[in-house]
Short mmCIF file of all heavy atoms in Angstrom, two decimals:
data_model
loop_
_atom_site.label_atom_id
_atom_site.label_comp_id
_atom_site.label_asym_id
_atom_site.label_seq_id
_atom_site.Cartn_x
_atom_site.Cartn_y
_atom_site.Cartn_z
N GLY A 316 89.52 104.36 95.79
CA GLY A 316 90.31 104.00 96.95
C GLY A 316 89.80 104.72 98.17
O GLY A 316 88.72 105.34 98.15
N VAL A 317 90.56 104.63 99.24
CA VAL A 317 90.23 105.34 100.48
C VAL A 317 91.44 106.14 100.92
O VAL A 317 92.58 105.78 100.64
CB VAL A 317 89.82 104.36 101.61
CG1 VAL A 317 88.49 103.72 101.31
CG2 VAL A 317 90.90 103.30 101.85
N GLY A 318 91.20 107.21 101.63
CA GLY A 318 92.27 107.96 102.24
C GLY A 318 92.72 107.26 103.52
O GLY A 318 91.89 106.78 104.29
N CYS A 319 94.02 107.18 103.73
CA CYS A 319 94.52 106.44 104.90
C CYS A 319 94.08 107.10 106.21
O CYS A 319 93.56 106.44 107.11
CB CYS A 319 96.03 106.31 104.83
SG CYS A 319 96.88 107.83 104.35
N ASN A 320 94.26 108.40 106.30
CA ASN A 320 93.87 109.10 107.53
C ASN A 320 92.35 109.09 107.70
O ASN A 320 91.84 108.99 108.82
CB ASN A 320 94.38 110.54 107.51
CG ASN A 320 95.88 110.60 107.33
OD1 ASN A 320 96.61 109.87 107.99
ND2 ASN A 320 96.35 111.45 106.43
N ALA A 321 91.65 109.19 106.58
CA ALA A 321 90.19 109.14 106.63
C ALA A 321 89.73 107.76 107.10
O ALA A 321 88.79 107.65 107.90
CB ALA A 321 89.61 109.45 105.26
N THR A 322 90.39 106.72 106.64
CA THR A 322 89.97 105.37 107.02
C THR A 322 90.18 105.13 108.51
O THR A 322 89.29 104.60 109.19
CB THR A 322 90.77 104.33 106.20
OG1 THR A 322 90.41 104.49 104.83
CG2 THR A 322 90.46 102.92 106.65
N ALA A 323 91.33 105.52 109.02
CA ALA A 323 91.55 105.36 110.46
C ALA A 323 90.51 106.16 111.25
O ALA A 323 89.97 105.69 112.26
CB ALA A 323 92.96 105.80 110.82
N SER A 324 90.21 107.35 110.78
CA SER A 324 89.24 108.20 111.49
C SER A 324 87.83 107.63 111.37
O SER A 324 87.07 107.57 112.35
CB SER A 324 89.28 109.61 110.91
OG SER A 324 90.57 110.17 111.01
N ASN A 325 87.47 107.22 110.16
CA ASN A 325 86.12 106.69 109.96
C ASN A 325 85.87 105.43 110.77
O ASN A 325 84.80 105.27 111.38
CB ASN A 325 85.89 106.41 108.47
CG ASN A 325 85.65 107.69 107.69
OD1 ASN A 325 85.09 108.66 108.21
ND2 ASN A 325 86.06 107.72 106.44
N LEU A 326 86.84 104.53 110.78
CA LEU A 326 86.64 103.29 111.51
C LEU A 326 86.61 103.54 113.02
O LEU A 326 85.97 102.80 113.76
CB LEU A 326 87.72 102.27 111.14
CG LEU A 326 87.64 101.77 109.68
CD1 LEU A 326 88.80 100.84 109.37
CD2 LEU A 326 86.31 101.07 109.40
N ALA A 327 87.29 104.59 113.47
CA ALA A 327 87.21 104.95 114.89
C ALA A 327 85.82 105.49 115.24
O ALA A 327 85.28 105.20 116.31
CB ALA A 327 88.28 105.99 115.23
N LEU A 328 85.24 106.26 114.35
CA LEU A 328 84.01 106.98 114.67
C LEU A 328 82.72 106.20 114.34
O LEU A 328 81.68 106.45 114.95
CB LEU A 328 83.98 108.32 113.94
CG LEU A 328 84.95 109.37 114.47
CD1 LEU A 328 85.06 110.54 113.50
CD2 LEU A 328 84.50 109.87 115.85
N LEU A 329 82.79 105.29 113.38
CA LEU A 329 81.55 104.65 112.90
C LEU A 329 80.72 103.97 113.99
O LEU A 329 79.49 104.12 114.01
CB LEU A 329 81.87 103.65 111.79
CG LEU A 329 82.00 104.26 110.39
CD1 LEU A 329 82.52 103.22 109.40
CD2 LEU A 329 80.67 104.83 109.90
N PRO A 330 81.33 103.24 114.94
CA PRO A 330 80.49 102.61 115.97
C PRO A 330 79.69 103.64 116.78
O PRO A 330 78.52 103.40 117.11
CB PRO A 330 81.50 101.88 116.86
CG PRO A 330 82.69 101.68 116.00
CD PRO A 330 82.75 102.88 115.10
N LEU A 331 80.32 104.77 117.07
CA LEU A 331 79.64 105.80 117.85
C LEU A 331 78.56 106.48 117.03
O LEU A 331 77.47 106.80 117.53
CB LEU A 331 80.67 106.83 118.34
CG LEU A 331 81.84 106.27 119.15
CD1 LEU A 331 82.87 107.35 119.43
CD2 LEU A 331 81.33 105.68 120.47
N VAL A 332 78.84 106.70 115.75
CA VAL A 332 77.85 107.34 114.88
C VAL A 332 76.64 106.43 114.70
O VAL A 332 75.49 106.87 114.85
CB VAL A 332 78.49 107.66 113.51
CG1 VAL A 332 77.43 108.10 112.50
CG2 VAL A 332 79.56 108.74 113.67
N ARG A 333 76.89 105.18 114.40
CA ARG A 333 75.78 104.26 114.13
C ARG A 333 74.90 104.03 115.36
O ARG A 333 73.71 103.78 115.24
CB ARG A 333 76.32 102.93 113.61
CG ARG A 333 76.85 103.04 112.19
CD ARG A 333 77.44 101.72 111.70
NE ARG A 333 77.86 101.83 110.31
CZ ARG A 333 78.57 100.90 109.67
NH1 ARG A 333 78.91 99.78 110.30
NH2 ARG A 333 78.93 101.06 108.41
N ALA A 334 75.51 104.12 116.54
CA ALA A 334 74.74 103.94 117.78
C ALA A 334 74.10 105.24 118.25
O ALA A 334 73.43 105.25 119.28
CB ALA A 334 75.66 103.38 118.87
N GLY A 335 74.29 106.31 117.51
CA GLY A 335 73.71 107.60 117.90
C GLY A 335 74.29 108.16 119.17
O GLY A 335 73.62 108.89 119.90
N LEU A 336 75.54 107.85 119.44
CA LEU A 336 76.14 108.23 120.72
C LEU A 336 76.87 109.58 120.68
O LEU A 336 77.26 110.09 121.72
CB LEU A 336 77.12 107.14 121.17
CG LEU A 336 76.46 105.87 121.72
CD1 LEU A 336 77.47 104.73 121.83
CD2 LEU A 336 75.83 106.16 123.09
N ILE A 337 77.07 110.15 119.49
CA ILE A 337 77.85 111.39 119.41
C ILE A 337 76.93 112.61 119.47
O ILE A 337 75.93 112.68 118.74
CB ILE A 337 78.68 111.42 118.12
CG1 ILE A 337 79.79 110.37 118.19
CG2 ILE A 337 79.28 112.82 117.89
CD1 ILE A 337 80.70 110.33 116.98
N ASP A 338 77.26 113.54 120.33
CA ASP A 338 76.56 114.83 120.40
C ASP A 338 76.99 115.65 119.18
O ASP A 338 78.10 116.17 119.13
CB ASP A 338 76.92 115.56 121.69
CG ASP A 338 76.19 116.89 121.81
OD1 ASP A 338 75.53 117.32 120.84
OD2 ASP A 338 76.31 117.52 122.89
N GLN A 339 76.11 115.75 118.19
CA GLN A 339 76.48 116.41 116.94
C GLN A 339 76.39 117.93 117.02
O GLN A 339 76.67 118.63 116.04
CB GLN A 339 75.64 115.86 115.78
CG GLN A 339 75.88 114.36 115.60
CD GLN A 339 75.45 113.84 114.25
OE1 GLN A 339 75.42 114.57 113.26
NE2 GLN A 339 75.11 112.57 114.20
N GLN A 340 75.98 118.43 118.18
CA GLN A 340 76.02 119.87 118.38
C GLN A 340 77.40 120.33 118.84
O GLN A 340 77.66 121.53 118.96
CB GLN A 340 74.96 120.30 119.42
CG GLN A 340 73.54 119.89 119.06
CD GLN A 340 73.13 120.39 117.67
OE1 GLN A 340 73.27 121.57 117.37
NE2 GLN A 340 72.64 119.48 116.84
N ARG A 341 78.25 119.37 119.13
CA ARG A 341 79.61 119.70 119.58
C ARG A 341 80.61 119.20 118.54
O ARG A 341 80.31 118.36 117.70
CB ARG A 341 79.89 119.06 120.95
CG ARG A 341 78.88 119.53 121.99
CD ARG A 341 79.18 118.95 123.35
NE ARG A 341 80.39 119.51 123.96
CZ ARG A 341 80.73 119.32 125.23
NH1 ARG A 341 79.96 118.60 126.01
NH2 ARG A 341 81.84 119.85 125.71
N ASP A 342 81.80 119.73 118.61
CA ASP A 342 82.82 119.40 117.63
C ASP A 342 83.43 118.02 117.91
O ASP A 342 83.57 117.60 119.06
CB ASP A 342 83.93 120.45 117.66
CG ASP A 342 83.42 121.81 117.23
OD1 ASP A 342 82.96 121.93 116.09
OD2 ASP A 342 83.44 122.75 118.06
N VAL A 343 83.78 117.36 116.83
CA VAL A 343 84.54 116.10 116.90
C VAL A 343 85.96 116.43 116.41
O VAL A 343 86.13 116.94 115.31
CB VAL A 343 83.90 115.01 116.03
CG1 VAL A 343 84.78 113.76 115.99
CG2 VAL A 343 82.50 114.67 116.54
N ILE A 344 86.93 116.14 117.24
CA ILE A 344 88.32 116.51 116.92
C ILE A 344 89.14 115.23 116.81
O ILE A 344 89.13 114.38 117.70
CB ILE A 344 88.89 117.45 117.99
CG1 ILE A 344 88.09 118.76 117.98
CG2 ILE A 344 90.38 117.72 117.73
CD1 ILE A 344 88.45 119.73 119.07
N ILE A 345 89.84 115.12 115.69
CA ILE A 345 90.62 113.91 115.41
C ILE A 345 92.09 114.30 115.21
O ILE A 345 92.40 115.18 114.41
CB ILE A 345 90.12 113.20 114.14
CG1 ILE A 345 88.61 113.01 114.18
CG2 ILE A 345 90.84 111.86 113.96
CD1 ILE A 345 88.00 112.73 112.82
N GLU A 346 92.95 113.61 115.94
CA GLU A 346 94.40 113.77 115.75
C GLU A 346 94.90 112.45 115.16
O GLU A 346 94.65 111.38 115.70
CB GLU A 346 95.06 114.05 117.10
CG GLU A 346 96.54 113.73 117.19
CD GLU A 346 97.44 114.74 116.47
OE1 GLU A 346 96.98 115.86 116.21
OE2 GLU A 346 98.59 114.36 116.17
N VAL A 347 95.60 112.53 114.03
CA VAL A 347 96.15 111.33 113.42
C VAL A 347 97.68 111.45 113.39
O VAL A 347 98.22 112.42 112.87
CB VAL A 347 95.61 111.09 112.00
CG1 VAL A 347 96.11 109.74 111.48
CG2 VAL A 347 94.10 111.12 111.98
N LYS A 348 98.33 110.46 113.95
CA LYS A 348 99.80 110.39 113.90
C LYS A 348 100.17 109.43 112.79
O LYS A 348 99.64 108.32 112.73
CB LYS A 348 100.35 109.93 115.25
CG LYS A 348 99.96 110.87 116.39
CD LYS A 348 100.26 110.27 117.74
CE LYS A 348 99.67 111.13 118.84
NZ LYS A 348 98.18 111.04 118.92
N VAL A 349 101.08 109.86 111.92
CA VAL A 349 101.31 109.10 110.69
C VAL A 349 102.80 108.87 110.45
O VAL A 349 103.66 109.63 110.92
CB VAL A 349 100.70 109.82 109.47
CG1 VAL A 349 99.21 110.03 109.66
CG2 VAL A 349 101.39 111.14 109.21
N GLY A 350 103.08 107.83 109.66
CA GLY A 350 104.44 107.51 109.27
C GLY A 350 104.85 108.19 107.98
O GLY A 350 104.03 108.74 107.25
N SER A 351 106.15 108.10 107.68
CA SER A 351 106.70 108.84 106.55
C SER A 351 106.23 108.32 105.20
O SER A 351 106.24 109.05 104.21
CB SER A 351 108.23 108.81 106.60
OG SER A 351 108.69 107.46 106.58
N SER A 352 105.80 107.05 105.13
CA SER A 352 105.39 106.51 103.83
C SER A 352 104.13 107.20 103.30
O SER A 352 103.84 107.10 102.11
CB SER A 352 105.17 105.00 103.91
OG SER A 352 104.18 104.68 104.86
N GLU A 353 103.40 107.90 104.18
CA GLU A 353 102.25 108.66 103.68
C GLU A 353 102.68 109.75 102.71
O GLU A 353 101.90 110.22 101.90
CB GLU A 353 101.46 109.29 104.84
CG GLU A 353 100.55 108.32 105.54
CD GLU A 353 99.42 109.01 106.28
OE1 GLU A 353 99.27 110.25 106.14
OE2 GLU A 353 98.71 108.31 107.01
N GLY A 354 103.94 110.15 102.80
CA GLY A 354 104.42 111.21 101.93
C GLY A 354 104.79 110.73 100.52
O GLY A 354 105.19 111.54 99.69
N GLY A 355 104.67 109.43 100.28
CA GLY A 355 104.95 108.91 98.96
C GLY A 355 106.42 108.57 98.76
O GLY A 355 107.25 108.75 99.65
N ALA A 356 106.72 108.06 97.56
CA ALA A 356 108.04 107.51 97.27
C ALA A 356 109.04 108.56 96.80
O ALA A 356 110.22 108.27 96.66
CB ALA A 356 107.93 106.40 96.23
N GLN A 357 108.57 109.76 96.51
CA GLN A 357 109.47 110.79 96.01
C GLN A 357 110.05 111.59 97.18
O GLN A 357 109.32 112.07 98.04
CB GLN A 357 108.72 111.74 95.06
CG GLN A 357 108.22 111.05 93.79
CD GLN A 357 109.34 110.44 92.97
OE1 GLN A 357 110.35 111.10 92.71
NE2 GLN A 357 109.18 109.19 92.57
N ALA A 358 111.37 111.73 97.17
CA ALA A 358 112.03 112.48 98.23
C ALA A 358 111.84 113.98 98.04
O ALA A 358 111.63 114.45 96.93
CB ALA A 358 113.52 112.15 98.24
N ASN A 359 111.92 114.70 99.13
CA ASN A 359 111.92 116.16 99.05
C ASN A 359 112.75 116.70 100.21
O ASN A 359 113.29 115.92 101.02
CB ASN A 359 110.50 116.74 99.05
CG ASN A 359 109.73 116.34 100.30
OD1 ASN A 359 110.28 116.34 101.40
ND2 ASN A 359 108.47 115.98 100.13
N GLU A 360 112.85 118.01 100.31
CA GLU A 360 113.69 118.61 101.33
C GLU A 360 113.27 118.18 102.73
O GLU A 360 114.11 117.89 103.60
CB GLU A 360 113.63 120.13 101.21
CG GLU A 360 114.59 120.86 102.11
CD GLU A 360 114.53 122.36 101.90
OE1 GLU A 360 114.11 122.79 100.80
OE2 GLU A 360 114.89 123.09 102.82
N ALA A 361 111.96 118.08 102.94
CA ALA A 361 111.48 117.74 104.28
C ALA A 361 111.70 116.27 104.62
O ALA A 361 111.68 115.90 105.80
CB ALA A 361 109.99 118.07 104.38
N SER A 362 111.88 115.43 103.60
CA SER A 362 112.05 114.00 103.89
C SER A 362 113.52 113.59 103.95
O SER A 362 113.82 112.44 104.22
CB SER A 362 111.34 113.16 102.82
OG SER A 362 111.97 113.28 101.56
N HIS A 363 114.40 114.52 103.70
CA HIS A 363 115.84 114.25 103.82
C HIS A 363 116.10 113.72 105.25
O HIS A 363 115.62 114.29 106.22
CB HIS A 363 116.59 115.57 103.57
CG HIS A 363 118.07 115.45 103.56
ND1 HIS A 363 118.74 114.45 102.91
CD2 HIS A 363 119.04 116.22 104.14
CE1 HIS A 363 120.04 114.60 103.08
NE2 HIS A 363 120.24 115.67 103.82
N HIS A 364 116.89 112.65 105.36
CA HIS A 364 116.97 111.93 106.63
C HIS A 364 117.31 112.81 107.84
O HIS A 364 116.64 112.71 108.89
CB HIS A 364 117.96 110.77 106.51
CG HIS A 364 118.06 109.96 107.76
ND1 HIS A 364 118.99 110.20 108.74
CD2 HIS A 364 117.31 108.93 108.22
CE1 HIS A 364 118.82 109.34 109.73
NE2 HIS A 364 117.82 108.56 109.44
N PRO A 365 118.28 113.70 107.73
CA PRO A 365 118.58 114.53 108.91
C PRO A 365 117.42 115.43 109.32
O PRO A 365 117.32 115.82 110.49
CB PRO A 365 119.80 115.36 108.48
CG PRO A 365 120.40 114.59 107.36
CD PRO A 365 119.26 113.92 106.66
N GLU A 366 116.56 115.75 108.35
CA GLU A 366 115.42 116.61 108.66
C GLU A 366 114.21 115.80 109.13
O GLU A 366 113.40 116.29 109.92
CB GLU A 366 115.01 117.42 107.41
CG GLU A 366 116.15 118.15 106.74
CD GLU A 366 116.79 119.19 107.65
OE1 GLU A 366 116.15 119.61 108.63
OE2 GLU A 366 117.95 119.56 107.40
N ARG A 367 114.08 114.59 108.64
CA ARG A 367 112.88 113.80 108.93
C ARG A 367 113.03 112.93 110.18
O ARG A 367 112.07 112.74 110.94
CB ARG A 367 112.55 112.91 107.72
CG ARG A 367 111.35 111.98 107.90
CD ARG A 367 110.08 112.80 108.09
NE ARG A 367 108.88 111.97 108.17
CZ ARG A 367 108.51 111.27 109.24
NH1 ARG A 367 109.27 111.26 110.32
NH2 ARG A 367 107.38 110.57 109.24
N SER A 368 114.23 112.42 110.39
CA SER A 368 114.42 111.47 111.47
C SER A 368 114.13 112.12 112.83
O SER A 368 114.62 113.21 113.14
CB SER A 368 115.86 110.96 111.46
OG SER A 368 116.08 110.05 112.51
N GLY A 369 113.33 111.43 113.62
CA GLY A 369 113.06 111.88 114.98
C GLY A 369 111.99 112.95 115.11
O GLY A 369 111.75 113.44 116.21
#
Side-chain angles (χ1 to χ4, degrees):
Chain A
V317 291
C319 44
N320 303 314
T322 295
S324 302
N325 284 328
L326 293 176
L328 288 168
L329 276 172
L331 304 173
V332 170
R333 288 178 177 171
L336 285 166
I337 291 181
D338 181 352
Q339 299 198 27
Q340 303 305 308
R341 302 182 71 169
D342 296 298
V343 174
I344 296 174
I345 310 162
E346 158 75 19
V347 186
K348 301 168 188 72
V349 302
S351 58
S352 60
E353 281 202 7
Q357 296 300 312
N359 59 42
E360 187 177 336
S362 68
H363 184 45
H364 182 267
E366 309 298 340
R367 177 64 176 77
S368 179

